Amino acid sequence: MGLATLEISLDRVFKRAMNGGHNVPVYEIEKNYYGNLYKLNQHFNLMDDLIVLDSSEELALHLATKKDDLITFHIPPDEMPLWFRNGLLNLFQQGSFV
């Protein structure tokens, strides 16, 4: 799952903490937000199966599926979120649109 912005991630952690969940330092959220995209972009080829969702809105949007070596996108290229196109560039360049 991915989010459109770091601010959405920060806001969700804050809301969870306000409702009794544990707090996470801002630097850890930033590290996870950018670091996880970087790692997935570099190593997605090690996975047999992968589903990528955008959970920025209340209803998650199914962006891509990887099954073995086939990567399929489920929305048109012009609707693909920037965080996906920029943060997962290697994956984006290898997939095909249905």
Side-chain angles (χ1 to χ4, degrees), residues 6-7 9-10 18 23 41-42 45 49 51-52 57 59-61 63 68 70 72 76 84 92 95 97:
L6 173 62
E7 288 73 26
S9 186
L10 292 167
M18 293 300 293
N23 195 19
N41 189 53
Q42 298 301 313
N45 57 334
D49 299 311
I51 295 174
V52 181
E57 302 295 328
L59 183 62
L61 181 61
L63 302 178
D68 299 318
L70 179 65
T72 306
F84 185 93
F92 185 68
F97 291 90

Side-chain angles (χ1 to χ4, degrees), residues 16-33:
R16 279 194 300 270
M18 293 300 293
N19 288 317
H22 71 282
N23 195 19
V24 179
V26 171
Y27 71 90
E28 285 290 336
I29 299 168
E30 290 176 354
K31 185 174 83 171
N32 288 340
Y33 182 83

Side-chain angles (χ1 to χ4, degrees), residues 1 32-47 50 52 64 66 71 73 80-95:
M1 287 194 176
N32 288 340
Y33 182 83
Y34 295 109
N36 291 342
L37 282 175
Y38 175 80
K39 288 176 186 173
L40 180 58
N41 189 53
Q42 298 301 313
H43 303 293
F44 70 89
N45 57 334
L46 299 174
M47 300 173 197
L50 173 67
V52 181
K66 179 181 184 287
I71 301 167
F73 300 123
M80 195 62 74
L82 284 176
W83 70 261
F84 185 93
R85 284 187 282 171
N86 295 336
L88 299 175
L89 185 59
N90 295 338
L91 191 141
F92 185 68
Q93 291 175 336
Q94 290 187 26

Side-chain angles (χ1 to χ4, degrees), residues 3 7-16 55-57:
L3 296 170
E7 288 73 26
I8 294 172
S9 186
L10 292 167
D11 185 55
R12 289 188 181 175
V13 171
F14 176 75
K15 286 178 181 174
R16 279 194 300 270
S55 61
S56 300
E57 302 295 328

